[in-house]
Amino acid sequence: MSGERGARESLRRKERRVPVKGIRQLPFARVENRYPPIQLLSADELESIHRASLRLLQEVGMEVLHEESRRVLRGAGAEVDETNQRVRFAPELIESLVAKAPSEFTLEARNPAYNVRVGGPHMIFAATGGPAFASDCDRGRRAGNCQDMCDYIRLVHRLNVIHQEGGCPIEPTDLPAETRHLDFYRAAITLTDKTWQCWALGGYRVEDAIEMAAIAMGKTREELRASPVTVTVVNSNSPLRLDIPMGEGLAAMAKAGQPVAMTPFTLAGAMSPVTIAGALMQQNAEALALIALAQIYAPGVPVLYGGFTSNVDMRTGSPAFGTPEYAKAALASGQLARRYKIPFRSSNVTASNCVDVQAAYEGGMSLWGTIMGGVNLIEHAAGWLEGGLTASFEKLILDAEMLQLMREFLNPLQIDEDSLGLEAIREVGPGGHFFGTGHTLARFERAFYEPMLSDWRNFENWQDSGAKSGTERANAIWKELLKSYEQPALDPGIAEALDAYVAKRKEEIGRQSA
């Protein structure tokens, strides 16, 4: 048997020498992307999109249904047609306002170890937010409920690769619609001490988030304005409309000094032109208008440039995600965000209805486009399924594995005298193997990435252990993580104050709704 063949057979038979207890995870760490982002657009093409966006805002404008926002826009010099609720912007007005937004900022967590930096090379993985349904292998697809919401947040806390709760992982439809945000905020604050995202659907939901964040952090609202602690997403109602709830949410967040990811919902062929170039131009115009509005409310308030441009299936009209078009749009969106020196938000998305190969390859495409586009905040980084309608417990684990893989990929390759291993090669010589060399023995436990979900055993050992698929293994992993969850410490006085605030607000909202 040749040395090469013998090495292959030895590797095939070899079991890991060090037994692993519990779930294998990388430790929590802040992530930086040190690779240069892919430049999909030339400088001229980038400028063409910018100039066309300004023309669109000047000639067509945005429909702004929120009265206060129209008033402040008029005061800043925009042209406002009250009859049609249409706002048009001079190019110089947009450019001067957008220039006020900071290029980087920090979001503070209840546990300072989980503080995250937004902008520059920094990257944040946020769990999925907003699905109306929950799903797992045991109970199937079901309407979202409070228990599933809380369990999902517990898993977000346990998964080290996830930096941030993503804005309510599962809608608790078993709770009253008018007050369920309060239960979500309390869960996000108490079940994890990582950063979290609030709801922008109406001003009062933002105000409750700010008040509860102030209680949790032991700070005044003025102190929170200087040190942001929560973030939200404001979607324009594409094409070219800002509705009342989103307008209220944007205004409340800006006045409170909290960052907003301004994210047009531009699906090419449906809510924007069928060409990706046209969809990007419309996305850019809508994002710039919302960013400018935030700067009128509070000059210098932190914002993110949100890119969500994808396409639809032209046969059915259904949204398509994880497509080549989505990846190219993410690369271009990153370039646009950097042109304005504003942090970039994108997403890890799939249209798959279950945790299968489609979910994996569409997620892989989404992540590559997003990360190599220089993203700063990945929304829905883990758990998104069915075009965002469902939060899957198994998909959460699949995505956590993919995020760990990406995180390790982002670590630069180390090249030095020791890593080149010339002495080890000299020791082994032609035809040998490296298992027993001092160079290998000193490094084998930490030489390579150790997966959380992947099974690298040979076929016989895998079969003897039950021949479980990756989805089945993911099911076992989330259950084990949930079983070993420990709630982070919280001062009893703060917990009581949060409970009292929630009870008071539920009573107030109930009276207003009666």
Side-chain angles (χ1 to χ4, degrees), residues 282-314:
Q282 182 186 312
Q283 168 194 284
N284 196 56
E286 293 180 19
L288 291 181
L290 299 184
I291 291 166
L293 176 57
Q295 299 308 310
I296 296 172
Y297 275 116
V301 69
V303 294
L304 294 94
Y305 180 107
F308 200 75
T309 291
S310 191
N311 57 290
V312 297
D313 180 349
M314 295 306 293

PDB file of all heavy atoms in Angstrom, residues 282-314:
ATOM      1  N   GLN A 282     -34.140  52.459  -7.680  1.00  0.00           N
ATOM      2  CA  GLN A 282     -35.309  52.794  -6.858  1.00  0.00           C
ATOM      3  C   GLN A 282     -35.011  52.556  -5.372  1.00  0.00           C
ATOM      4  O   GLN A 282     -35.374  53.376  -4.529  1.00  0.00           O
ATOM      5  CB  GLN A 282     -36.506  51.962  -7.282  1.00  0.00           C
ATOM      6  CG  GLN A 282     -37.780  52.299  -6.498  1.00  0.00           C
ATOM      7  CD  GLN A 282     -38.905  51.348  -6.840  1.00  0.00           C
ATOM      8  OE1 GLN A 282     -39.184  51.081  -8.000  1.00  0.00           O
ATOM      9  NE2 GLN A 282     -39.556  50.805  -5.799  1.00  0.00           N
ATOM     10  N   GLN A 283     -34.353  51.427  -5.060  1.00  0.00           N
ATOM     11  CA  GLN A 283     -33.949  51.167  -3.676  1.00  0.00           C
ATOM     12  C   GLN A 283     -33.116  52.317  -3.135  1.00  0.00           C
ATOM     13  O   GLN A 283     -33.328  52.805  -2.013  1.00  0.00           O
ATOM     14  CB  GLN A 283     -33.134  49.881  -3.597  1.00  0.00           C
ATOM     15  CG  GLN A 283     -32.420  49.666  -2.252  1.00  0.00           C
ATOM     16  CD  GLN A 283     -31.371  48.579  -2.307  1.00  0.00           C
ATOM     17  OE1 GLN A 283     -31.699  47.411  -2.309  1.00  0.00           O
ATOM     18  NE2 GLN A 283     -30.094  48.974  -2.362  1.00  0.00           N
ATOM     19  N   ASN A 284     -32.174  52.763  -3.934  1.00  0.00           N
ATOM     20  CA  ASN A 284     -31.274  53.824  -3.489  1.00  0.00           C
ATOM     21  C   ASN A 284     -32.029  55.121  -3.231  1.00  0.00           C
ATOM     22  O   ASN A 284     -31.798  55.807  -2.228  1.00  0.00           O
ATOM     23  CB  ASN A 284     -30.192  54.047  -4.547  1.00  0.00           C
ATOM     24  CG  ASN A 284     -29.020  54.837  -4.018  1.00  0.00           C
ATOM     25  OD1 ASN A 284     -28.404  54.464  -3.031  1.00  0.00           O
ATOM     26  ND2 ASN A 284     -28.711  55.944  -4.668  1.00  0.00           N
ATOM     27  N   ALA A 285     -32.955  55.455  -4.124  1.00  0.00           N
ATOM     28  CA  ALA A 285     -33.733  56.680  -3.951  1.00  0.00           C
ATOM     29  C   ALA A 285     -34.555  56.627  -2.669  1.00  0.00           C
ATOM     30  O   ALA A 285     -34.568  57.575  -1.872  1.00  0.00           O
ATOM     31  CB  ALA A 285     -34.642  56.901  -5.160  1.00  0.00           C
ATOM     32  N   GLU A 286     -35.252  55.523  -2.441  1.00  0.00           N
ATOM     33  CA  GLU A 286     -36.087  55.404  -1.252  1.00  0.00           C
ATOM     34  C   GLU A 286     -35.239  55.420   0.021  1.00  0.00           C
ATOM     35  O   GLU A 286     -35.601  56.072   1.016  1.00  0.00           O
ATOM     36  CB  GLU A 286     -36.919  54.127  -1.333  1.00  0.00           C
ATOM     37  CG  GLU A 286     -37.952  54.145  -2.444  1.00  0.00           C
ATOM     38  CD  GLU A 286     -38.773  52.872  -2.527  1.00  0.00           C
ATOM     39  OE1 GLU A 286     -38.816  52.116  -1.524  1.00  0.00           O
ATOM     40  OE2 GLU A 286     -39.393  52.619  -3.582  1.00  0.00           O
ATOM     41  N   ALA A 287     -34.113  54.708   0.004  1.00  0.00           N
ATOM     42  CA  ALA A 287     -33.242  54.694   1.180  1.00  0.00           C
ATOM     43  C   ALA A 287     -32.703  56.089   1.480  1.00  0.00           C
ATOM     44  O   ALA A 287     -32.676  56.527   2.644  1.00  0.00           O
ATOM     45  CB  ALA A 287     -32.095  53.707   0.970  1.00  0.00           C
ATOM     46  N   LEU A 288     -32.277  56.808   0.452  1.00  0.00           N
ATOM     47  CA  LEU A 288     -31.740  58.154   0.659  1.00  0.00           C
ATOM     48  C   LEU A 288     -32.805  59.090   1.230  1.00  0.00           C
ATOM     49  O   LEU A 288     -32.516  59.910   2.120  1.00  0.00           O
ATOM     50  CB  LEU A 288     -31.204  58.718  -0.653  1.00  0.00           C
ATOM     51  CG  LEU A 288     -29.941  58.066  -1.226  1.00  0.00           C
ATOM     52  CD1 LEU A 288     -29.535  58.753  -2.522  1.00  0.00           C
ATOM     53  CD2 LEU A 288     -28.794  58.092  -0.225  1.00  0.00           C
ATOM     54  N   ALA A 289     -34.040  58.968   0.749  1.00  0.00           N
ATOM     55  CA  ALA A 289     -35.106  59.833   1.259  1.00  0.00           C
ATOM     56  C   ALA A 289     -35.355  59.574   2.744  1.00  0.00           C
ATOM     57  O   ALA A 289     -35.524  60.513   3.534  1.00  0.00           O
ATOM     58  CB  ALA A 289     -36.383  59.605   0.461  1.00  0.00           C
ATOM     59  N   LEU A 290     -35.367  58.308   3.153  1.00  0.00           N
ATOM     60  CA  LEU A 290     -35.609  57.976   4.559  1.00  0.00           C
ATOM     61  C   LEU A 290     -34.432  58.396   5.441  1.00  0.00           C
ATOM     62  O   LEU A 290     -34.621  58.885   6.560  1.00  0.00           O
ATOM     63  CB  LEU A 290     -35.876  56.481   4.701  1.00  0.00           C
ATOM     64  CG  LEU A 290     -37.092  55.922   3.956  1.00  0.00           C
ATOM     65  CD1 LEU A 290     -37.275  54.446   4.266  1.00  0.00           C
ATOM     66  CD2 LEU A 290     -38.355  56.696   4.299  1.00  0.00           C
ATOM     67  N   ILE A 291     -33.226  58.197   4.931  1.00  0.00           N
ATOM     68  CA  ILE A 291     -32.038  58.626   5.689  1.00  0.00           C
ATOM     69  C   ILE A 291     -32.057  60.141   5.871  1.00  0.00           C
ATOM     70  O   ILE A 291     -31.776  60.659   6.964  1.00  0.00           O
ATOM     71  CB  ILE A 291     -30.756  58.164   4.972  1.00  0.00           C
ATOM     72  CG1 ILE A 291     -30.619  56.636   5.053  1.00  0.00           C
ATOM     73  CG2 ILE A 291     -29.513  58.840   5.577  1.00  0.00           C
ATOM     74  CD1 ILE A 291     -29.576  56.056   4.112  1.00  0.00           C
ATOM     75  N   ALA A 292     -32.405  60.865   4.820  1.00  0.00           N
ATOM     76  CA  ALA A 292     -32.483  62.328   4.900  1.00  0.00           C
ATOM     77  C   ALA A 292     -33.533  62.757   5.925  1.00  0.00           C
ATOM     78  O   ALA A 292     -33.307  63.688   6.718  1.00  0.00           O
ATOM     79  CB  ALA A 292     -32.803  62.913   3.531  1.00  0.00           C
ATOM     80  N   LEU A 293     -34.668  62.090   5.925  1.00  0.00           N
ATOM     81  CA  LEU A 293     -35.725  62.429   6.885  1.00  0.00           C
ATOM     82  C   LEU A 293     -35.248  62.234   8.311  1.00  0.00           C
ATOM     83  O   LEU A 293     -35.496  63.090   9.178  1.00  0.00           O
ATOM     84  CB  LEU A 293     -36.960  61.562   6.605  1.00  0.00           C
ATOM     85  CG  LEU A 293     -38.137  61.707   7.572  1.00  0.00           C
ATOM     86  CD1 LEU A 293     -38.630  63.147   7.643  1.00  0.00           C
ATOM     87  CD2 LEU A 293     -39.274  60.766   7.155  1.00  0.00           C
ATOM     88  N   ALA A 294     -34.557  61.158   8.578  1.00  0.00           N
ATOM     89  CA  ALA A 294     -34.037  60.932   9.932  1.00  0.00           C
ATOM     90  C   ALA A 294     -33.083  62.039  10.349  1.00  0.00           C
ATOM     91  O   ALA A 294     -33.089  62.486  11.511  1.00  0.00           O
ATOM     92  CB  ALA A 294     -33.339  59.569  10.002  1.00  0.00           C
ATOM     93  N   GLN A 295     -32.267  62.512   9.422  1.00  0.00           N
ATOM     94  CA  GLN A 295     -31.300  63.564   9.751  1.00  0.00           C
ATOM     95  C   GLN A 295     -31.985  64.914   9.992  1.00  0.00           C
ATOM     96  O   GLN A 295     -31.447  65.760  10.701  1.00  0.00           O
ATOM     97  CB  GLN A 295     -30.258  63.684   8.647  1.00  0.00           C
ATOM     98  CG  GLN A 295     -29.448  62.417   8.419  1.00  0.00           C
ATOM     99  CD  GLN A 295     -28.826  61.876   9.691  1.00  0.00           C
ATOM    100  OE1 GLN A 295     -28.174  62.602  10.452  1.00  0.00           O
ATOM    101  NE2 GLN A 295     -29.024  60.587   9.941  1.00  0.00           N
ATOM    102  N   ILE A 296     -33.160  65.111   9.394  1.00  0.00           N
ATOM    103  CA  ILE A 296     -33.920  66.333   9.706  1.00  0.00           C
ATOM    104  C   ILE A 296     -34.439  66.268  11.141  1.00  0.00           C
ATOM    105  O   ILE A 296     -34.357  67.233  11.897  1.00  0.00           O
ATOM    106  CB  ILE A 296     -35.092  66.511   8.722  1.00  0.00           C
ATOM    107  CG1 ILE A 296     -34.562  66.706   7.302  1.00  0.00           C
ATOM    108  CG2 ILE A 296     -35.950  67.706   9.119  1.00  0.00           C
ATOM    109  CD1 ILE A 296     -35.657  66.690   6.242  1.00  0.00           C
ATOM    110  N   TYR A 297     -34.964  65.114  11.516  1.00  0.00           N
ATOM    111  CA  TYR A 297     -35.469  64.951  12.887  1.00  0.00           C
ATOM    112  C   TYR A 297     -34.349  65.095  13.912  1.00  0.00           C
ATOM    113  O   TYR A 297     -34.543  65.703  14.976  1.00  0.00           O
ATOM    114  CB  TYR A 297     -36.115  63.572  13.041  1.00  0.00           C
ATOM    115  CG  TYR A 297     -37.551  63.500  12.606  1.00  0.00           C
ATOM    116  CD1 TYR A 297     -37.937  62.698  11.535  1.00  0.00           C
ATOM    117  CD2 TYR A 297     -38.536  64.221  13.271  1.00  0.00           C
ATOM    118  CE1 TYR A 297     -39.268  62.613  11.139  1.00  0.00           C
ATOM    119  CE2 TYR A 297     -39.865  64.146  12.877  1.00  0.00           C
ATOM    120  CZ  TYR A 297     -40.224  63.346  11.815  1.00  0.00           C
ATOM    121  OH  TYR A 297     -41.549  63.276  11.434  1.00  0.00           O
ATOM    122  N   ALA A 298     -33.170  64.528  13.613  1.00  0.00           N
ATOM    123  CA  ALA A 298     -32.068  64.540  14.578  1.00  0.00           C
ATOM    124  C   ALA A 298     -30.755  64.483  13.815  1.00  0.00           C
ATOM    125  O   ALA A 298     -30.278  63.385  13.489  1.00  0.00           O
ATOM    126  CB  ALA A 298     -32.188  63.360  15.543  1.00  0.00           C
ATOM    127  N   PRO A 299     -30.162  65.631  13.491  1.00  0.00           N
ATOM    128  CA  PRO A 299     -28.908  65.629  12.745  1.00  0.00           C
ATOM    129  C   PRO A 299     -27.841  64.780  13.428  1.00  0.00           C
ATOM    130  O   PRO A 299     -27.607  64.899  14.639  1.00  0.00           O
ATOM    131  CB  PRO A 299     -28.504  67.105  12.727  1.00  0.00           C
ATOM    132  CG  PRO A 299     -29.800  67.850  12.872  1.00  0.00           C
ATOM    133  CD  PRO A 299     -30.642  66.995  13.785  1.00  0.00           C
ATOM    134  N   GLY A 300     -27.230  63.882  12.662  1.00  0.00           N
ATOM    135  CA  GLY A 300     -26.188  63.017  13.199  1.00  0.00           C
ATOM    136  C   GLY A 300     -26.693  61.723  13.800  1.00  0.00           C
ATOM    137  O   GLY A 300     -25.885  60.925  14.293  1.00  0.00           O
ATOM    138  N   VAL A 301     -28.013  61.474  13.763  1.00  0.00           N
ATOM    139  CA  VAL A 301     -28.530  60.228  14.321  1.00  0.00           C
ATOM    140  C   VAL A 301     -28.014  59.055  13.487  1.00  0.00           C
ATOM    141  O   VAL A 301     -27.930  59.135  12.265  1.00  0.00           O
ATOM    142  CB  VAL A 301     -30.075  60.235  14.359  1.00  0.00           C
ATOM    143  CG1 VAL A 301     -30.677  60.181  12.964  1.00  0.00           C
ATOM    144  CG2 VAL A 301     -30.602  59.087  15.211  1.00  0.00           C
ATOM    145  N   PRO A 302     -27.626  57.946  14.135  1.00  0.00           N
ATOM    146  CA  PRO A 302     -27.099  56.814  13.365  1.00  0.00           C
ATOM    147  C   PRO A 302     -28.185  56.127  12.544  1.00  0.00           C
ATOM    148  O   PRO A 302     -29.325  55.974  12.986  1.00  0.00           O
ATOM    149  CB  PRO A 302     -26.534  55.872  14.435  1.00  0.00           C
ATOM    150  CG  PRO A 302     -27.220  56.253  15.702  1.00  0.00           C
ATOM    151  CD  PRO A 302     -27.523  57.717  15.592  1.00  0.00           C
ATOM    152  N   VAL A 303     -27.828  55.707  11.348  1.00  0.00           N
ATOM    153  CA  VAL A 303     -28.731  54.983  10.447  1.00  0.00           C
ATOM    154  C   VAL A 303     -27.923  53.907   9.742  1.00  0.00           C
ATOM    155  O   VAL A 303     -26.693  53.901   9.769  1.00  0.00           O
ATOM    156  CB  VAL A 303     -29.379  55.916   9.408  1.00  0.00           C
ATOM    157  CG1 VAL A 303     -30.305  56.918  10.064  1.00  0.00           C
ATOM    158  CG2 VAL A 303     -28.313  56.627   8.576  1.00  0.00           C
ATOM    159  N   LEU A 304     -28.638  52.999   9.086  1.00  0.00           N
ATOM    160  CA  LEU A 304     -28.016  52.022   8.214  1.00  0.00           C
ATOM    161  C   LEU A 304     -28.698  52.089   6.848  1.00  0.00           C
ATOM    162  O   LEU A 304     -29.891  52.380   6.753  1.00  0.00           O
ATOM    163  CB  LEU A 304     -28.138  50.597   8.756  1.00  0.00           C
ATOM    164  CG  LEU A 304     -27.396  50.287  10.053  1.00  0.00           C
ATOM    165  CD1 LEU A 304     -28.332  50.467  11.240  1.00  0.00           C
ATOM    166  CD2 LEU A 304     -26.847  48.865  10.051  1.00  0.00           C
ATOM    167  N   TYR A 305     -27.915  51.814   5.823  1.00  0.00           N
ATOM    168  CA  TYR A 305     -28.435  51.710   4.458  1.00  0.00           C
ATOM    169  C   TYR A 305     -28.883  50.275   4.262  1.00  0.00           C
ATOM    170  O   TYR A 305     -28.067  49.351   4.264  1.00  0.00           O
ATOM    171  CB  TYR A 305     -27.340  52.092   3.464  1.00  0.00           C
ATOM    172  CG  TYR A 305     -27.751  52.030   2.000  1.00  0.00           C
ATOM    173  CD1 TYR A 305     -27.957  53.196   1.287  1.00  0.00           C
ATOM    174  CD2 TYR A 305     -27.913  50.815   1.342  1.00  0.00           C
ATOM    175  CE1 TYR A 305     -28.316  53.162  -0.060  1.00  0.00           C
ATOM    176  CE2 TYR A 305     -28.283  50.761   0.004  1.00  0.00           C
ATOM    177  CZ  TYR A 305     -28.480  51.937  -0.687  1.00  0.00           C
ATOM    178  OH  TYR A 305     -28.844  51.900  -2.007  1.00  0.00           O
ATOM    179  N   GLY A 306     -30.197  50.071   4.092  1.00  0.00           N
ATOM    180  CA  GLY A 306     -30.725  48.724   3.965  1.00  0.00           C
ATOM    181  C   GLY A 306     -30.886  48.298   2.520  1.00  0.00           C
ATOM    182  O   GLY A 306     -31.531  48.989   1.725  1.00  0.00           O
ATOM    183  N   GLY A 307     -30.306  47.156   2.175  1.00  0.00           N
ATOM    184  CA  GLY A 307     -30.482  46.584   0.854  1.00  0.00           C
ATOM    185  C   GLY A 307     -31.266  45.286   0.949  1.00  0.00           C
ATOM    186  O   GLY A 307     -30.883  44.378   1.692  1.00  0.00           O
ATOM    187  N   PHE A 308     -32.368  45.188   0.213  1.00  0.00           N
ATOM    188  CA  PHE A 308     -33.187  43.977   0.238  1.00  0.00           C
ATOM    189  C   PHE A 308     -33.666  43.634  -1.173  1.00  0.00           C
ATOM    190  O   PHE A 308     -34.601  42.893  -1.365  1.00  0.00           O
ATOM    191  CB  PHE A 308     -34.392  44.176   1.165  1.00  0.00           C
ATOM    192  CG  PHE A 308     -35.029  42.898   1.630  1.00  0.00           C
ATOM    193  CD1 PHE A 308     -34.427  42.121   2.599  1.00  0.00           C
ATOM    194  CD2 PHE A 308     -36.229  42.466   1.094  1.00  0.00           C
ATOM    195  CE1 PHE A 308     -35.003  40.941   3.038  1.00  0.00           C
ATOM    196  CE2 PHE A 308     -36.822  41.283   1.523  1.00  0.00           C
ATOM    197  CZ  PHE A 308     -36.205  40.525   2.498  1.00  0.00           C
ATOM    198  N   THR A 309     -32.998  44.187  -2.164  1.00  0.00           N
ATOM    199  CA  THR A 309     -33.430  43.978  -3.538  1.00  0.00           C
ATOM    200  C   THR A 309     -33.233  42.527  -3.953  1.00  0.00           C
ATOM    201  O   THR A 309     -32.142  41.971  -3.837  1.00  0.00           O
ATOM    202  CB  THR A 309     -32.666  44.902  -4.497  1.00  0.00           C
ATOM    203  OG1 THR A 309     -33.069  46.250  -4.260  1.00  0.00           O
ATOM    204  CG2 THR A 309     -32.942  44.549  -5.949  1.00  0.00           C
ATOM    205  N   SER A 310     -34.309  41.918  -4.425  1.00  0.00           N
ATOM    206  CA  SER A 310     -34.264  40.587  -5.014  1.00  0.00           C
ATOM    207  C   SER A 310     -35.223  40.594  -6.195  1.00  0.00           C
ATOM    208  O   SER A 310     -35.594  41.648  -6.705  1.00  0.00           O
ATOM    209  CB  SER A 310     -34.625  39.517  -3.986  1.00  0.00           C
ATOM    210  OG  SER A 310     -34.343  38.217  -4.487  1.00  0.00           O
ATOM    211  N   ASN A 311     -35.623  39.412  -6.617  1.00  0.00           N
ATOM    212  CA  ASN A 311     -36.533  39.316  -7.758  1.00  0.00           C
ATOM    213  C   ASN A 311     -37.712  38.428  -7.410  1.00  0.00           C
ATOM    214  O   ASN A 311     -37.730  37.786  -6.358  1.00  0.00           O
ATOM    215  CB  ASN A 311     -35.798  38.762  -8.984  1.00  0.00           C
ATOM    216  CG  ASN A 311     -35.155  37.411  -8.733  1.00  0.00           C
ATOM    217  OD1 ASN A 311     -34.174  37.313  -7.988  1.00  0.00           O
ATOM    218  ND2 ASN A 311     -35.692  36.368  -9.338  1.00  0.00           N
ATOM    219  N   VAL A 312     -38.694  38.398  -8.278  1.00  0.00           N
ATOM    220  CA  VAL A 312     -39.831  37.494  -8.108  1.00  0.00           C
ATOM    221  C   VAL A 312     -39.765  36.399  -9.161  1.00  0.00           C
ATOM    222  O   VAL A 312     -39.086  36.535 -10.185  1.00  0.00           O
ATOM    223  CB  VAL A 312     -41.179  38.240  -8.209  1.00  0.00           C
ATOM    224  CG1 VAL A 312     -41.324  39.256  -7.094  1.00  0.00           C
ATOM    225  CG2 VAL A 312     -41.336  38.897  -9.575  1.00  0.00           C
ATOM    226  N   ASP A 313     -40.459  35.322  -8.889  1.00  0.00           N
ATOM    227  CA  ASP A 313     -40.656  34.283  -9.891  1.00  0.00           C
ATOM    228  C   ASP A 313     -41.692  34.810 -10.869  1.00  0.00           C
ATOM    229  O   ASP A 313     -42.858  34.998 -10.515  1.00  0.00           O
ATOM    230  CB  ASP A 313     -41.156  33.006  -9.195  1.00  0.00           C
ATOM    231  CG  ASP A 313     -41.401  31.859 -10.169  1.00  0.00           C
ATOM    232  OD1 ASP A 313     -41.391  32.093 -11.390  1.00  0.00           O
ATOM    233  OD2 ASP A 313     -41.624  30.732  -9.697  1.00  0.00           O
ATOM    234  N   MET A 314     -41.285  35.082 -12.083  1.00  0.00           N
ATOM    235  CA  MET A 314     -42.179  35.712 -13.045  1.00  0.00           C
ATOM    236  C   MET A 314     -43.324  34.797 -13.482  1.00  0.00           C
ATOM    237  O   MET A 314     -44.289  35.248 -14.105  1.00  0.00           O
ATOM    238  CB  MET A 314     -41.393  36.189 -14.271  1.00  0.00           C
ATOM    239  CG  MET A 314     -40.381  37.291 -13.960  1.00  0.00           C
ATOM    240  SD  MET A 314     -41.107  38.723 -13.108  1.00  0.00           S
ATOM    241  CE  MET A 314     -42.183  39.386 -14.370  1.00  0.00           C
TER     242      MET A 314
END
